[in-house]
Amino acid sequence: MRIAVQEEEFDLGAESNDFAAQDTANGAIVTFTGVVRDMAEGDLDVMEIEHYPGMTERAIAKIAREAKLRWSLGDVLVIHRYGRLAPGDRIMMVATAAPHRKDAFEAAEYLMDYLKSRAPFWKKEITTSGAEWVAAKDEDEDALTRW
Amino acid sequence: MDVLYFAWVRERIGLPKEKVETEAATVNDLVAELSAREDRYAAAFADLSALRVALDQELSDFDASLAGVREVAFFPPMTGG
């Protein structure tokens, strides 16, 4: 299990390759990548991501440990960036390795659902018309109830 | 204890972290104490349903006890991922 909370970019290809080059008992590898999206207005300059150093790593580790208890997983990788990002930049990635694909897919979705509303990150969108904190969505909170 | 603020709570109060000497028994007591200090605190804590609290880096509740707690953090609902 590897958890990285970092300001710098990550190499999606290299991370995916390293993660895939492991235990041959894992026949399924799922990766998810989150990218800074420019909303409908098309005027996003910067996405600023703030986090709570210390709690962030603890919260993600707790979510990953829970995923390993719920599904048969060989390994878990979570990389999440903070700082100033531009549209198209990769914000984060999650990878899961499991003997079977159902576990890998479900665990990746679980990790994403929990990272959205239980890992202490806050996003601020800076557009040509000003800066605004991204509000948490009810549907993100509701997504947790299915687990 | 250390009190930390994040995102718009930090901006509204105007600082990321401060040391607070308090006898507050619960988070709610601490919120009342801080809100009574200055308008910027009262404004930040006006609607607790829009806030979350962590005690020693674990998500908690506003009616939780502060006994033995060293670090309290206030922030809006998280938007990771």
PDB file of all heavy atoms in Angstrom, chain A residues 14-28:
ATOM      1  N   ALA A  14       4.404   5.767 -15.582  1.00  0.00           N
ATOM      2  CA  ALA A  14       5.407   5.118 -14.732  1.00  0.00           C
ATOM      3  C   ALA A  14       4.757   4.544 -13.474  1.00  0.00           C
ATOM      4  O   ALA A  14       5.059   3.419 -13.060  1.00  0.00           O
ATOM      5  CB  ALA A  14       6.507   6.118 -14.357  1.00  0.00           C
ATOM      6  N   GLU A  15       3.833   5.314 -12.886  1.00  0.00           N
ATOM      7  CA  GLU A  15       3.160   4.833 -11.670  1.00  0.00           C
ATOM      8  C   GLU A  15       2.334   3.583 -11.975  1.00  0.00           C
ATOM      9  O   GLU A  15       2.334   2.617 -11.209  1.00  0.00           O
ATOM     10  CB  GLU A  15       2.247   5.923 -11.087  1.00  0.00           C
ATOM     11  CG  GLU A  15       2.964   7.140 -10.537  1.00  0.00           C
ATOM     12  CD  GLU A  15       3.777   6.845  -9.278  1.00  0.00           C
ATOM     13  OE1 GLU A  15       3.675   5.735  -8.715  1.00  0.00           O
ATOM     14  OE2 GLU A  15       4.517   7.758  -8.866  1.00  0.00           O
ATOM     15  N   SER A  16       1.624   3.608 -13.109  1.00  0.00           N
ATOM     16  CA  SER A  16       0.793   2.461 -13.483  1.00  0.00           C
ATOM     17  C   SER A  16       1.655   1.234 -13.764  1.00  0.00           C
ATOM     18  O   SER A  16       1.334   0.118 -13.345  1.00  0.00           O
ATOM     19  CB  SER A  16      -0.044   2.798 -14.721  1.00  0.00           C
ATOM     20  OG  SER A  16      -0.868   3.898 -14.462  1.00  0.00           O
ATOM     21  N   ASN A  17       2.765   1.453 -14.466  1.00  0.00           N
ATOM     22  CA  ASN A  17       3.664   0.335 -14.773  1.00  0.00           C
ATOM     23  C   ASN A  17       4.272  -0.268 -13.515  1.00  0.00           C
ATOM     24  O   ASN A  17       4.318  -1.485 -13.364  1.00  0.00           O
ATOM     25  CB  ASN A  17       4.783   0.787 -15.724  1.00  0.00           C
ATOM     26  CG  ASN A  17       4.295   0.859 -17.164  1.00  0.00           C
ATOM     27  OD1 ASN A  17       3.430   0.083 -17.570  1.00  0.00           O
ATOM     28  ND2 ASN A  17       4.833   1.789 -17.929  1.00  0.00           N
ATOM     29  N   ASP A  18       4.734   0.612 -12.612  1.00  0.00           N
ATOM     30  CA  ASP A  18       5.332   0.120 -11.366  1.00  0.00           C
ATOM     31  C   ASP A  18       4.303  -0.672 -10.571  1.00  0.00           C
ATOM     32  O   ASP A  18       4.594  -1.720 -10.003  1.00  0.00           O
ATOM     33  CB  ASP A  18       5.817   1.293 -10.493  1.00  0.00           C
ATOM     34  CG  ASP A  18       7.092   1.906 -11.052  1.00  0.00           C
ATOM     35  OD1 ASP A  18       7.653   1.330 -12.010  1.00  0.00           O
ATOM     36  OD2 ASP A  18       7.500   2.961 -10.536  1.00  0.00           O
ATOM     37  N   PHE A  19       3.081  -0.137 -10.541  1.00  0.00           N
ATOM     38  CA  PHE A  19       2.036  -0.778  -9.756  1.00  0.00           C
ATOM     39  C   PHE A  19       1.674  -2.136 -10.350  1.00  0.00           C
ATOM     40  O   PHE A  19       1.420  -3.094  -9.625  1.00  0.00           O
ATOM     41  CB  PHE A  19       0.799   0.123  -9.703  1.00  0.00           C
ATOM     42  CG  PHE A  19      -0.257  -0.362  -8.749  1.00  0.00           C
ATOM     43  CD1 PHE A  19      -0.105  -0.191  -7.383  1.00  0.00           C
ATOM     44  CD2 PHE A  19      -1.393  -1.009  -9.218  1.00  0.00           C
ATOM     45  CE1 PHE A  19      -1.068  -0.659  -6.496  1.00  0.00           C
ATOM     46  CE2 PHE A  19      -2.360  -1.477  -8.339  1.00  0.00           C
ATOM     47  CZ  PHE A  19      -2.195  -1.294  -6.972  1.00  0.00           C
ATOM     48  N   ALA A  20       1.675  -2.202 -11.698  1.00  0.00           N
ATOM     49  CA  ALA A  20       1.295  -3.451 -12.375  1.00  0.00           C
ATOM     50  C   ALA A  20       2.388  -4.509 -12.271  1.00  0.00           C
ATOM     51  O   ALA A  20       2.102  -5.713 -12.333  1.00  0.00           O
ATOM     52  CB  ALA A  20       0.974  -3.160 -13.838  1.00  0.00           C
ATOM     53  N   ALA A  21       3.635  -4.067 -12.128  1.00  0.00           N
ATOM     54  CA  ALA A  21       4.763  -5.006 -12.096  1.00  0.00           C
ATOM     55  C   ALA A  21       4.962  -5.540 -10.684  1.00  0.00           C
ATOM     56  O   ALA A  21       5.912  -5.186  -9.994  1.00  0.00           O
ATOM     57  CB  ALA A  21       6.025  -4.296 -12.578  1.00  0.00           C
ATOM     58  N   GLN A  22       4.033  -6.333 -10.236  1.00  0.00           N
ATOM     59  CA  GLN A  22       4.141  -6.846  -8.872  1.00  0.00           C
ATOM     60  C   GLN A  22       3.610  -8.272  -8.803  1.00  0.00           C
ATOM     61  O   GLN A  22       3.627  -8.980  -9.803  1.00  0.00           O
ATOM     62  CB  GLN A  22       3.406  -5.914  -7.919  1.00  0.00           C
ATOM     63  CG  GLN A  22       1.958  -5.674  -8.354  1.00  0.00           C
ATOM     64  CD  GLN A  22       1.156  -4.948  -7.303  1.00  0.00           C
ATOM     65  OE1 GLN A  22       1.508  -4.944  -6.142  1.00  0.00           O
ATOM     66  NE2 GLN A  22       0.051  -4.353  -7.716  1.00  0.00           N
ATOM     67  N   ASP A  23       3.169  -8.643  -7.664  1.00  0.00           N
ATOM     68  CA  ASP A  23       2.640  -9.964  -7.364  1.00  0.00           C
ATOM     69  C   ASP A  23       1.842 -10.584  -8.524  1.00  0.00           C
ATOM     70  O   ASP A  23       0.839 -10.034  -8.963  1.00  0.00           O
ATOM     71  CB  ASP A  23       1.722  -9.796  -6.142  1.00  0.00           C
ATOM     72  CG  ASP A  23       1.453 -11.120  -5.469  1.00  0.00           C
ATOM     73  OD1 ASP A  23       1.671 -12.149  -6.137  1.00  0.00           O
ATOM     74  OD2 ASP A  23       1.048 -11.105  -4.305  1.00  0.00           O
ATOM     75  N   THR A  24       2.272 -11.732  -8.996  1.00  0.00           N
ATOM     76  CA  THR A  24       1.583 -12.368 -10.126  1.00  0.00           C
ATOM     77  C   THR A  24       0.246 -12.990  -9.717  1.00  0.00           C
ATOM     78  O   THR A  24      -0.501 -13.476 -10.561  1.00  0.00           O
ATOM     79  CB  THR A  24       2.461 -13.466 -10.766  1.00  0.00           C
ATOM     80  OG1 THR A  24       2.900 -14.324  -9.717  1.00  0.00           O
ATOM     81  CG2 THR A  24       3.648 -12.864 -11.487  1.00  0.00           C
ATOM     82  N   ALA A  25      -0.071 -12.944  -8.414  1.00  0.00           N
ATOM     83  CA  ALA A  25      -1.367 -13.468  -7.968  1.00  0.00           C
ATOM     84  C   ALA A  25      -2.501 -12.505  -8.320  1.00  0.00           C
ATOM     85  O   ALA A  25      -3.675 -12.883  -8.288  1.00  0.00           O
ATOM     86  CB  ALA A  25      -1.348 -13.702  -6.458  1.00  0.00           C
ATOM     87  N   ASN A  26      -2.153 -11.259  -8.660  1.00  0.00           N
ATOM     88  CA  ASN A  26      -3.179 -10.273  -8.976  1.00  0.00           C
ATOM     89  C   ASN A  26      -3.454 -10.243 -10.483  1.00  0.00           C
ATOM     90  O   ASN A  26      -2.654  -9.742 -11.263  1.00  0.00           O
ATOM     91  CB  ASN A  26      -2.747  -8.881  -8.503  1.00  0.00           C
ATOM     92  CG  ASN A  26      -2.596  -8.834  -7.000  1.00  0.00           C
ATOM     93  OD1 ASN A  26      -3.426  -9.375  -6.263  1.00  0.00           O
ATOM     94  ND2 ASN A  26      -1.531  -8.241  -6.537  1.00  0.00           N
ATOM     95  N   GLY A  27      -4.590 -10.793 -10.862  1.00  0.00           N
ATOM     96  CA  GLY A  27      -4.940 -10.842 -12.275  1.00  0.00           C
ATOM     97  C   GLY A  27      -5.674  -9.613 -12.771  1.00  0.00           C
ATOM     98  O   GLY A  27      -5.958  -9.488 -13.956  1.00  0.00           O
ATOM     99  N   ALA A  28      -6.002  -8.686 -11.840  1.00  0.00           N
ATOM    100  CA  ALA A  28      -6.777  -7.510 -12.236  1.00  0.00           C
ATOM    101  C   ALA A  28      -6.180  -6.252 -11.632  1.00  0.00           C
ATOM    102  O   ALA A  28      -5.909  -6.197 -10.430  1.00  0.00           O
ATOM    103  CB  ALA A  28      -8.221  -7.660 -11.760  1.00  0.00           C
TER     104      ALA A  28
END
